[in-house]
Amino acid sequence: MEFMKVLVILVVVFHGSLSKPIGSEDELHVAVGQLERLVARLKQYVVDTNLPEYSMSGTGPWSESTPEFTRSLFHLRGLYDKRDPFSSNEIVKKLLKPYFGSFPNGPYKLELPLTSHNIVVMLDAWYNNGEQMMFKERTFHNVARELLSAHLQCATTRVDQIVFYVLKGQALAMTEDDQNMDTRLRKTLENWITDTATVKNVAQKIVLAAHRRTYGDIVDHIRYFQFKDIVEFLSKMKMLMWKAEQNKWSSVMFHEKLSQLLTDNDFAFKCPSMNNLWEFHQEIVSRVQERLSETKLVTETEVWLKEFLPTYITTRTTPAITAILHIYTDYIKSVRWHFEQMENHVTTRNAADITNFMSKFLTPHQLQYLQSIFEFLNTRDTSNVMQMESGKPKQHAFQE
């Protein structure tokens, strides 16, 4: 009976991802495979009737903290999130968007101006008011907003906002790469295509594909990257709220489960340290480097060109593909150069170097704001004092 109960929960939660068209047949196969493995795990769970229905401790064969469950849950939730405007990921993106729309301003803090007790008070009030149970999504949205608003007051988070602001400014310079590539492509394609309109159309499609393949979601990834753990925490909270309703927990049980969740995820109520900030930036750099692997991108583009070009070029396409890939290789190198300019400075842990680099893109008032944050962090966060003097030049990390 318990097995059927948990199975029904899973089916309901992920119904949105499997009852509607999936982006590709491969995604559907993966999702079905994940569900089959989860059912197998549930069968193990039902054998041990001593296991609690909802365990925060992560013990036993069916534990919500086991790597297998987490991978399965997050993959399936990823498919579900694409169509669910109330998913934790989508709510976080919506709430964070205004904060990353312009240069930050206002006071900043070293400690998060929000405690786990504040969250307990909000959710206990919701759960103890039977008439308000239907407003679960609204309550969750309010909690997420309070938590994220508090994090955006952290001094370290303000630095990330400024890094993103500068990167957005750099995006204009990066679009020049698209224009240069388009010009070179048109001139090259004229050797195989005589119609001017077709040449223009084909060149634009190649540039668009190249831009999408090269950049992907890099900018958005940088914007939300440091909040990935917060998203995971909020997802667990939302699941707990949903289970509380479905299983009709008592108010005391809900309070206990919620308190344990908050205790297990106390990081959500702390401002990132300077070390956290450098780790965020270094991991972003690693992701960008992986994304901009020249060999990988050229190979993927070559496969795509072999399918795309025969529609417009009736002769042998190999010479055209070779010429296009040469242009695309130069494009990748230019994109990497732009990101290297950011990488070589934002990961130095050197406030003077970072400030000097940022000065090229910020107004005097904005630059003063950044300097004041670094000074504040250097004097307050004594456990993570940053370098305030020039350091040794950093070597390019992009190596094939």
Side-chain angles (χ1 to χ4, degrees), residues 99-154:
Y99 291 103
F100 288 92
S102 59
F103 192 85
N105 59 71
Y108 34 81
K109 305 178 183 296
L110 196 62
E111 301 294 334
L112 201 71
L114 183 77
T115 66
S116 58
H117 176 71
N118 300 133
I119 303 298
V120 169
V121 171
M122 292 175 68
L123 290 185
D124 275 350
W126 161 75
Y127 199 69
N128 292 328
N129 187 346
E131 295 180 358
Q132 298 297 321
M133 292 297 280
M134 68 180 69
F135 299 116
K136 179 173 78 275
E137 297 294 351
R138 181 186 300 174
T139 301
F140 175 78
H141 185 279
N142 290 340
V143 170
R145 181 183 60 203
E146 291 293 326
L147 183 61
L148 293 172
S149 295
H151 269 275
L152 266 298
Q153 295 180 49
C154 295

Side-chain angles (χ1 to χ4, degrees), residues 273 275 380-385:
S273 67
N275 280 338
R380 301 298 182 89
D381 192 0
T382 56
S383 62
N384 293 297
V385 177

Side-chain angles (χ1 to χ4, degrees), residues 227-388:
F227 295 98
K228 67 183 191 305
D229 290 338
I230 303 297
V231 172
E232 184 174 344
F233 162 68
L234 288 172
S235 298
K236 292 177 182 177
M237 179 183 292
K238 190 175 183 182
M239 180 67 77
L240 185 143
M241 294 170 69
W242 184 83
K243 284 186 175 183
E245 281 189 312
Q246 294 299 310
N247 298 327
K248 302 187 185 308
W249 291 344
S250 67
S251 296
V252 173
M253 180 179 288
F254 176 71
H255 179 87
E256 290 177 352
K257 301 275 190 187
L258 174 61
S259 296
Q260 186 61 53
L261 175 66
L262 298 176
T263 299
D264 292 343
N265 295 271
D266 62 333
F267 69 88
F269 300 94
K270 298 177 182 177
C271 282
S273 67
M274 286 306 303
N275 280 338
N276 292 145
L277 186 66
W278 307 134
E279 288 169 4
F280 290 150
H281 291 174
Q282 189 56 58
E283 192 165 348
I284 289 170
V285 166
S286 298
R287 296 291 182 88
V288 172
Q289 291 172 11
E290 181 182 356
R291 179 94 186 186
L292 297 182
S293 167
E294 185 176 311
T295 302
K296 179 181 178 181
L297 288 173
V298 170
T299 300
E300 292 176 352
T301 303
E302 182 177 8
V303 172
W304 178 77
L305 287 172
K306 287 179 179 179
E307 297 177 356
F308 172 73
L309 281 184
T311 303
Y312 304 95
I313 299 177
T314 56
T315 59
R316 197 165 69 97
T317 58
T318 301
I321 291 175
T322 301
I324 293 170
L325 290 179
H326 177 71
I327 296 172
Y328 182 48
T329 299
D330 290 342
Y331 177 82
I332 296 172
K333 290 178 180 178
S334 182
V335 171
R336 284 165 52 163
W337 181 86
H338 286 298
F339 278 106
E340 281 176 351
Q341 304 315 298
M342 292 289 291
E343 171 209 330
N344 288 337
H345 298 280
V346 298
T347 60
T348 60
R349 299 186 177 220
N350 186 298
D353 180 66
I354 295 171
T355 303
N356 181 59
F357 171 72
M358 295 290 192
S359 66
K360 305 172 186 177
F361 311 98
L362 303 177
T363 65
H365 176 73
Q366 293 171 336
L367 185 61
Q368 185 179 22
Y369 186 78
L370 175 62
Q371 289 173 322
S372 69
I373 294 177
F374 279 149
E375 290 171 1
F376 173 80
L377 288 170
N378 193 60
T379 56
R380 301 298 182 89
D381 192 0
T382 56
S383 62
N384 293 297
V385 177
M386 69 181 73
Q387 300 176 36
M388 296 299 290

